[in-house]
Amino acid sequence: MTALPILAAGVFSPQSPQASAIVDLFYIVLVICAGVFVIVTYLVTHSLARFRSRSQQLEPSQVGGHKTLELVWTVGPLVLVIWIFVLTVRGMSRADPVKENRPPDLTVTGHQWWWEIHYKSGAVVANEIHIPVGEKLLVQVDSTDVIHAFWVPQLARKIDMIKGHPNQIWLQADHPGTYLGVCAEYCGTEHAWMRFLVVVDPAAEFNDWEQQQLRSAPASLAVMRGARLFQQMTCVNCHAIKGTGAQMRVGPDLTHVGSRQQIGAGILDNTPANMTKWLKNPQAIKSGVLMPNPGLTDAQAADLAAYFAMLK
Ligand code: CUA
């Protein structure tokens, strides 16, 4: 999946009122600019042809000023700029929330190089945001380290994620589907592999998903070889699995890792084979990733991957 064409296409196929406001403004400004271009090009070529020198006279006759012309080329652009200003303010009011004094529906935190998402309900997920179709959600973004930028081209504008300075945007989608999101601010080695998915579900499906995400890992899984390995190895120093002793949130919460579509913020599809490969040597797949090589044998990596696949 190459991201650039998808992102470029995404901007021009908006799937929310907020993204539509932005692309509508773009088209209006494009038409205005095209009109200006045509008029200026016509005037220049017309003047070149109409007023070219026909004699051997070296210095053309001098014109001292033309009140009507000067008024036209001063007032005309002024009116255009004011018009674009008004359209921009209207577009911004459609695309952006005013500072809302209420808790956000979800908080998205940028990490080098993955995304942590907290829902108002208490659900904590990574790299895959689910939202109900048609609902306008207030999203607060911030960062734990450098400046990142949250961008889902088909759904909303870009917004900077700055540590200690939370920003807010709307997230809304007109139709169910899966939309690609990226980090849009260079944030270090693996900036390009800081992606996420926004999965838009019908309301009932979203509620089921959220209820599932709130559950702890089933106690019955504790007998799996992978579950025991997880608790014995260094995994617990960085990751949380609700319902077990693992509580750390340095890396992604893994309570429902098996329900996610991708690994490593978009670099691999989430299959047991890919998960095994990832666990064997994360740097070989995403060089620069902050997860250290856990030094597992093939069998241990496969056991862990089998356990993760059960964490739905
Ligand atoms: Cu995070 Cu670029």
Side-chain angles (χ1 to χ4, degrees):
M1 179 164 69
T2 41
L4 266 179
I6 293 170
L7 295 179
V11 172
F12 294 105
S13 60
Q15 297 292 326
S16 73
Q18 294 77 23
S20 297
I22 294 168
V23 81
D24 288 352
L25 178 64
F26 172 80
Y27 283 131
I28 294 171
V29 173
L30 187 71
V31 168
I32 294 173
C33 292
V36 171
F37 177 77
V38 168
I39 291 168
V40 170
T41 307
Y42 167 76
L43 287 176
V44 169
T45 46
H46 174 76
S47 304
L48 280 173
R50 171 78 178 72
F51 301 108
R52 70 184 187 281
S53 173
R54 288 185 180 79
S55 64
Q56 296 307 308
Q57 184 191 359
L58 285 177
E59 189 177 336
S61 58
Q62 301 298 298
V63 178
H66 193 297
K67 207 169 189 178
T68 316
L69 263 182
E70 288 184 13
L71 270 173
V72 167
W73 71 50
T74 306
V75 176
L78 192 66
V79 168
L80 281 183
V81 169
I82 291 171
W83 185 25
I84 291 174
F85 175 77
V86 171
L87 291 174
T88 304
V89 171
R90 272 185 20 199
M92 284 166 74
S93 72
R94 278 172 68 199
D96 278 337
V98 281
K99 193 79 185 167
E100 297 260 330
N101 276 324
R102 65 173 174 100
D105 298 305
L106 44 142
T107 302
V108 182
T109 305
H111 295 255
Q112 282 176 317
W113 292 276
W114 60 282
W115 311 79
E116 180 178 10
I117 302 103
H118 288 250
Y119 284 77
K120 206 160 56 176
S121 62
V124 182
V125 302
N127 302 332
E128 190 174 306
I129 300 173
H130 286 238
I131 61 171
V133 68
E135 231 175 276
K136 189 156 87 168
L137 299 180
L138 185 66
V139 178
Q140 181 157 305
V141 301
D142 60 23
S143 167
T144 48
D145 37 54
V146 299
I147 298 176
H148 303 275
F150 179 90
W151 190 32
V152 193
Q154 286 183 280
L155 302 184
R157 54 166 287 186
K158 295 174 185 173
I159 185 116
D160 275 353
M161 312 172 84
I162 303 161
K163 188 179 181 178
H165 180 91
N167 285 326
Q168 295 185 331
I169 57 162
W170 294 124
L171 196 59
Q172 179 176 359
D174 298 331
H175 309 286
T178 302
Y179 303 93
L180 178 66
V182 294
C183 178
E185 179 81 41
Y186 182 72
C187 55
T189 322
E190 287 299 345
H191 159 71
W193 283 113
M194 186 166 169
R195 296 189 187 170
F196 61 101
L197 298 175
V198 177
V199 179
V200 179
D201 294 322
E205 265 175 56
F206 170 77
N207 287 334
D208 291 347
W209 174 87
E210 194 172 33
Q211 288 311 311
Q212 178 61 24
Q213 297 294 316
L214 284 165
R215 294 205 180 96
S216 297
S220 56
L221 296 182
V223 297
M224 292 185 74
R225 281 196 304 269
R228 291 204 297 267
L229 265 175
F230 184 86
Q231 299 297 332
Q232 289 155 10
M233 309 286 297
T234 49
C235 316
V236 289
N237 293 345
C238 294
H239 295 282
I241 295 183
K242 212 158 56 168
T244 74
Q247 302 283 341
M248 297 302 287
R249 291 238 170 87
V250 178
D253 186 304
L254 299 178
T255 315
H256 299 281
V257 63
S259 73
R260 293 176 204 149
Q261 297 178 33
Q262 297 179 326
I263 301 170
I267 202 161
L268 288 177
D269 286 335
N270 189 5
T271 64
N274 281 342
M275 183 60 91
T276 307
K277 231 166 42 175
W278 172 264
L279 292 168
K280 271 291 285 176
N281 189 358
Q283 274 94 21
I285 291 158
K286 186 170 172 178
S287 63
V289 67
L290 298 184
M291 174 167 166
N293 187 336
L296 302 167
T297 65
D298 288 348
Q300 286 174 322
D303 285 344
L304 268 170
Y307 171 50
F308 289 162
M310 299 297 287
L311 294 172
K312 295 281 186 189

